[in-house]
Amino acid sequence: MTAARAARDGVPGPGQVPAPEPLPAAALDAHCHLDLIEQPAGEVLAAARAAGITRVVTVGVDLPSSRWSADRADPGGGVYAAVAIHPNETAAAAASPAQRDEVLAEIAKLAALPQVRAVGETGLDYYRDYASRAEQRDWFRAHIAIAKQAGKALMIHDREAHDDVLAILDAEGPPERVVFHCFSGDAAMAKRCADAGYVMSFAGNLTFANARALREAAAAAPPDLLLVETDAPFLTPVPNRGKPNTPAMVAHTVRCLADVKQIGVEDICALVTATGERMFGPW
Ligand SMILES: [Zn+2]
């Protein structure tokens, strides 16, 4: 994502946000953008560890950020990468069919690296129109093929496109591991994902006062198909909504999810860690 795009999409600037109460057990941030966070990644990761967040997946949205994520990943230190061209970046990523093929070949090469644990974020965004729907679908299909070929998880961005995302997965044949990043469906959509064995990753908007439908979806989702994430620097959870987001803040979302599921915080930590390893492991 370019600086201009980051500004347009409302990436918050630097600022002081109180550290969350540390979790009673280790958990993870299944989706963040370390490259877009103002503070140095080392500091951000140290703050995350202090909150109990010992693993993060840092996600690319275009070729430069995918390369950055693959370079910065450090499985020994709990940092894993995901690589892809975000649906909103597809039109900008290639000026010709030949260039599209080159870009996808580079993503496939990155996806094969051992520290890269997912192909994403890819999918469909019908909320924005930075790329045509036909173009987004074409790139989504190509990313599904890359995930299957590399044997990595598919990390999906689905904004106002539930039916088409599910239909394309069905038509192409989904990879073994599928994660809906920043899950945005309702309880009915959660059931459709559960039937297909897709994992639903909940972000900070789970904590928002107006997110009743999302909490109903989390309540309906099977406990072993749940993940948590920040999508940092976006979507800061309550009580810091509107301030810059970092992986440490996923602790708030973990506690919210524990409350929604009526499961102890320590047990939720164990559940998301196990699901995270099934999707992005072995650690
Ligand atoms: Zn993201």
Side-chain angles (χ1 to χ4, degrees):
M1 187 178 288
T2 61
R5 172 67 54 87
R8 187 178 66 198
D9 287 352
V11 178
Q16 283 305 309
V17 181
E21 186 189 339
L23 292 168
L28 79 164
D29 180 355
H31 182 117
C32 65
H33 302 273
L34 287 180
D35 58 322
L36 295 177
I37 297 173
E38 285 282 333
Q39 295 152 271
E43 278 174 31
V44 167
L45 293 167
R49 276 192 295 275
I53 308 307
T54 57
R55 295 185 175 90
V56 309
V57 182
T58 188
V59 180
V61 297
D62 56 16
L63 217 39
S65 59
S66 291
R67 287 195 196 107
W68 189 95
S69 294
D71 282 349
R72 184 59 187 80
D74 164 25
V79 182
Y80 310 90
V83 299
I85 309 300
H86 188 292
N88 292 340
E89 304 294 327
T90 51
S96 66
Q99 205 183 357
R100 165 203 178 274
D101 294 349
E102 276 168 38
V103 170
L104 285 165
E106 171 96 31
I107 291 293
K109 210 192 266 179
L110 291 170
L113 295 170
Q115 73 274 29
V116 175
R117 302 298 174 88
V119 173
E121 50 187 299
T122 178
L124 302 175
D125 191 323
Y126 291 174
Y127 177 74
R128 308 237 190 231
D129 59 0
Y130 301 159
S132 74
R133 292 182 178 192
E135 200 162 12
Q136 294 185 41
R137 290 185 198 115
D138 169 57
W139 286 79
F140 182 35
R141 289 191 194 97
H143 282 93
I144 292 171
I146 291 171
K148 287 200 278 195
Q149 199 204 341
K152 304 288 168 78
L154 184 71
M155 185 183 273
I156 291 178
H157 172 103
D158 160 24
R159 194 154 183 200
E160 299 187 5
H162 305 322
D163 288 343
D164 279 9
V165 166
L166 291 174
I168 288 174
L169 283 170
D170 218 36
E172 298 297 304
E176 252 171 66
R177 298 178 275 189
V178 174
V179 177
F180 277 69
H181 129 72
C182 193
F183 183 80
S184 59
D186 57 8
M189 174 65 181
K191 288 197 183 92
R192 291 166 78 186
C193 286
D195 287 345
Y198 302 151
V199 166
M200 293 156 260
S201 183
F202 288 89
N205 50 346
L206 186 71
T207 67
F208 294 177
N210 62 358
R212 202 168 57 100
L214 195 58
R215 284 189 288 274
E216 284 168 2
D224 62 343
L225 293 179
L226 294 171
L227 278 176
V228 285
E229 63 169 72
T230 56
D231 203 13
F234 307 100
L235 277 176
T236 312
V238 171
N240 302 312
R241 190 174 179 183
K243 296 185 184 147
N245 201 6
T246 57
M249 299 303 154
V250 81
H252 294 297
T253 308
V254 167
R255 288 182 191 280
C256 177
L257 187 61
D259 192 49
V260 167
K261 299 299 288 179
Q262 297 286 296
I263 295 175
V265 175
E266 212 170 329
D267 291 338
I268 283 285
C269 290
L271 276 168
V272 296
T273 297
T275 300
E277 182 159 29
R278 259 186 8 254
M279 293 300 110
F280 311 122
W283 299 135

